[in-house]
C-alpha cells in the first residue's frame, strides 16, 4: 500500500507528499530494499533531483542478493536520468546493455527494453523516425516477444507502435497475441485494442483525424491521461495550439507511464515554449524556454542547437 501511495503521489506531481510517504515506508519496511530504492529513484526523478535518483539506482544495481530483474530495472532507471540530462547516447548504451543481458539470460525481456529505448528516443528527438526504425529492425517484432505475454507490456508496445505510426506492426502484435492461445483470458482486451488501432489506421496521415482517433481511444478506455503526449503532438501538427498546450501541460502534470513521465517533465518545457510562443503568450513561452535551456545546459553536442534556440527565444520574449 505504501508503494502504491508513493507512486500515485509522484504520478500526480505531488513531490513533497511523496517524499513524506516514502520516508514512512522506509521506516516501516526497512527490509524491502528493492522497492524502497525503486520508489526513491521514482520520486527523485519526478522532482528533477537527478543526483539522488542516480544514487538510488546505483545502489539498487550493485546491492548484494538483489534479483537480476531488479538490477536490470536499475539500468533502465539510469538510462532515464541520462535522457533527462540530454544524453541520449548514454541512455542508448545503457538500454542496449540491458537488452543484451536479457537476451543472454534468456529472460524474454529484451523487447521490453527495446520499447523503452524507442520511447526515450521519440521523446528526446521530437519525432518518430529513429524509434520506428528501432522497432522495425531485426526479425519480426512479434517473434521477439516474451511468452506467455505480460498484458501490460504488450499494451505498452501497441501504444508505442501507434504513437510511432507503425499500424501494421501493432496489428501484427494483436494477431500474434490472439493466435498464441490467449483468446479466453485476454480476448476482450485484444478485441478492444484492435478496434482502437483500426480506428487510428482509418485516420491516415491527417493529424486532426489522428487526434480524434486518439481522443476516442482515451475515452473508450476510460483513461483521460492515456495517449496525452501523442494527442498533444497530433494537436500541434494539426494547428490546434490551444489543445496542444492543454495536453502538453497535462502530460507534464499527471503521469501516463512510469517509463516516460520524468523525461516528459523535461522535454515538455521545450514543447510548451514553442506552442505558447505561437499563441502569443510570450511570458509563458519565455518561462518554459528558459527552464528547458537550464535543464539541458550540459546536453550532448548534437542537442545544443535546440538549447541555444530555447535560450535565445527566452531572452527575446522577455525572459532572464
Amino acid at each position: 500500500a505504501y508503494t502504491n501511495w508513493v507512486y500515485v503521489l509522484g504520478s500526480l506531481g505531488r513531490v513533497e507528499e511523496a517524499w513524506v510517504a516514502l520516508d514512512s515506508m522506509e521506516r516501516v519496511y526497512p527490509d524491502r530494499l528493492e522497492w524502497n530504492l525503486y520508489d526513491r529513484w521514482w520520486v527523485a526523478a519526478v522532482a528533477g533531483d537527478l543526483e539522488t535518483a542516480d544514487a538510488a539506482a546505483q545502489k539498487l544495481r550493485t546491492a548484494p542478493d538483489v534479483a537480476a530483474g531488479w538490477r536490470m530495472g536499475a539500468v533502465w532507471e539510469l538510462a532515464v536520468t541520462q535522457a533527462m540530462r540530454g544524453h541520449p547516447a548514454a541512455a542508448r548504451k545503457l538500454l542496449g546493455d540491458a537488452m543484451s543481458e536479457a537476451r543472454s539470460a534468456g529472460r524474454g525481456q529484451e523487447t521490453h527494453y527495446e520499447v523503452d529505448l524507442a520511447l526515450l528516443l521519440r521523446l528526446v528527438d521530437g519525432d518518430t523516425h529513429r524509434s520506428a526504425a528501432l522497432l522495425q529492425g531485426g526479425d519480426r517484432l512479434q517473434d521477439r516477444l516474451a511468452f506467455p505475454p505480460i498484458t501490460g507490456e504488450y499494451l505498452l508496445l501497441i501504444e508505442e507502435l501507434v504513437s510511432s505510426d507503425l499500424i501494421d506492426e501493432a496489428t501484427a502484435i494483436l494477431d500474434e497475441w490472439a493466435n498464441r492461445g490467449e483468446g479466453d483470458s485476454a480476448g476482450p482486451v485484444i478485441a478492444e485494442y484492435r478496434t482502437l488501432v483500426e480506428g487510428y489506421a482509418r485516420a491516415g496521415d491527417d493529424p486532426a483525424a489522428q487526434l480524434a482517433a486518439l481522443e476516442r481511444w482515451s475515452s473508450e478506455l476510460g483513461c483521460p491521461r492515456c495517449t496525452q503526449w501523442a494527442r498533444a503532438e497530433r494537436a500541434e501538427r494539426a494547428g490546434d495550439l490551444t489543445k496542444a498546450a492543454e495536453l502538453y501541460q497535462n502530460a507534464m502534470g499527471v503521469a501516463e507511464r512510469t517509463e516516460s513521465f520524468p523525461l516528459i517533465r523535461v522535454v515538455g518545457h521545450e514543447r510548451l515554449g514553442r506552442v505558447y510562443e505561437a499563441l502569443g503568450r510570450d511570458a509563458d513561452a519565455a518561462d518554459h524556454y528558459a527552464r528547458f535551456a537550464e535543464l539541458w545546459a550540459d546536453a550532448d553536442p548534437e542537442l545544443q542547437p535546440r538549447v541555444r534556440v530555447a535560450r535565445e527565444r527566452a531572452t527575446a520574449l522577455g525572459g532572464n
Side-chain angles (χ1 to χ4, degrees), residues 179-286:
N179 292 337
R180 285 183 171 187
E182 291 295 307
D184 291 339
S185 60
V189 175
I190 295 171
E192 181 177 43
Y193 268 70
R194 191 182 299 280
T195 299
L196 296 172
V197 170
E198 290 171 350
Y200 186 88
R202 286 193 293 272
D205 296 328
D206 180 357
Q210 291 174 346
L211 172 61
L214 291 174
E215 294 278 10
R216 287 194 297 274
W217 184 311
S218 174
S219 175
E220 291 180 22
L221 290 177
C223 180
R225 72 182 186 281
C226 291
T227 71
Q228 281 186 136
W229 188 263
R231 282 184 280 148
E233 291 178 318
R234 273 62 175 185
E236 185 178 2
R237 293 176 200 165
D240 190 347
L241 299 181
T242 299
K243 183 73 169 179
E246 175 189 353
L247 287 167
Y248 281 135
Q249 195 73 62
N250 289 346
M252 293 176 68
V254 179
E256 177 181 344
R257 302 175 186 165
T258 307
E259 292 82 356
S260 59
F261 188 49
L263 180 55
I264 278 176
R265 288 169 68 86
V266 175
V267 297
H269 289 292
E270 181 186 32
R271 300 294 183 92
L272 280 171
R274 187 170 66 208
V275 170
Y276 281 143
E277 181 179 8
L279 287 169
R281 294 174 56 175
D282 291 355
D284 290 330

Side-chain angles (χ1 to χ4, degrees), residues 140-142 145 154 157-159 161-162 165-179 190 193-202 217:
R140 294 191 319 161
L141 185 59
Q142 60 266 37
L145 291 172
Y154 269 50
L157 172 58
I158 292 165
E159 290 177 15
L161 288 166
V162 170
D165 293 316
L166 298 176
I167 305 305
D168 290 344
E169 286 78 0
T171 301
I173 297 301
L174 288 166
D175 290 342
E176 187 74 13
W177 192 0
N179 292 337
I190 295 171
Y193 268 70
R194 191 182 299 280
T195 299
L196 296 172
V197 170
E198 290 171 350
Y200 186 88
R202 286 193 293 272
W217 184 311

Side-chain angles (χ1 to χ4, degrees), residues 9-10 12-23 43 46-47 265:
L9 291 170
L12 295 173
R14 293 162 59 177
V15 174
E16 292 184 5
E17 295 172 79
W19 279 126
V20 172
L22 177 60
D23 289 341
V43 177
V46 170
R265 288 169 68 86

Side-chain angles (χ1 to χ4, degrees), residues 50-228:
L50 301 188
E51 287 72 24
T52 298
D54 280 346
Q58 288 287 10
K59 187 173 181 180
L60 180 57
R61 188 181 187 184
T62 59
D65 301 322
V66 170
W70 281 107
R71 288 199 302 274
M72 292 170 67
V75 174
W76 164 76
E77 293 170 1
L78 292 167
V80 172
T81 54
Q82 287 296 331
M84 291 174 70
R85 290 184 171 94
H87 299 158
R92 285 196 296 274
K93 184 179 186 310
L94 284 162
L95 283 173
D97 291 345
M99 279 189 276
S100 297
E101 182 178 342
R103 192 173 293 113
S104 298
R107 294 178 57 83
Q109 288 184 306
E110 55 266 31
T111 302
H112 174 77
Y113 293 107
E114 202 168 5
V115 174
D116 288 344
L117 179 54
L119 177 59
L120 294 182
L121 287 175
R122 183 164 60 83
L123 290 172
V124 171
D125 289 351
D127 62 50
T128 64
H129 298 304
R130 281 207 291 172
S131 63
L134 175 68
L135 290 170
Q136 288 176 308
D139 299 330
R140 294 191 319 161
L141 185 59
Q142 60 266 37
D143 292 339
R144 306 201 300 272
L145 291 172
F147 187 81
I150 301 171
T151 298
E153 291 186 7
Y154 269 50
L155 297 184
L156 173 62
L157 172 58
I158 292 165
E159 290 177 15
E160 182 56 29
L161 288 166
V162 170
S163 295
S164 297
D165 293 316
L166 298 176
I167 305 305
D168 290 344
E169 286 78 0
T171 301
I173 297 301
L174 288 166
D175 290 342
E176 187 74 13
W177 192 0
N179 292 337
R180 285 183 171 187
E182 291 295 307
D184 291 339
S185 60
V189 175
I190 295 171
E192 181 177 43
Y193 268 70
R194 191 182 299 280
T195 299
L196 296 172
V197 170
E198 290 171 350
Y200 186 88
R202 286 193 293 272
D205 296 328
D206 180 357
Q210 291 174 346
L211 172 61
L214 291 174
E215 294 278 10
R216 287 194 297 274
W217 184 311
S218 174
S219 175
E220 291 180 22
L221 290 177
C223 180
R225 72 182 186 281
C226 291
T227 71
Q228 281 186 136

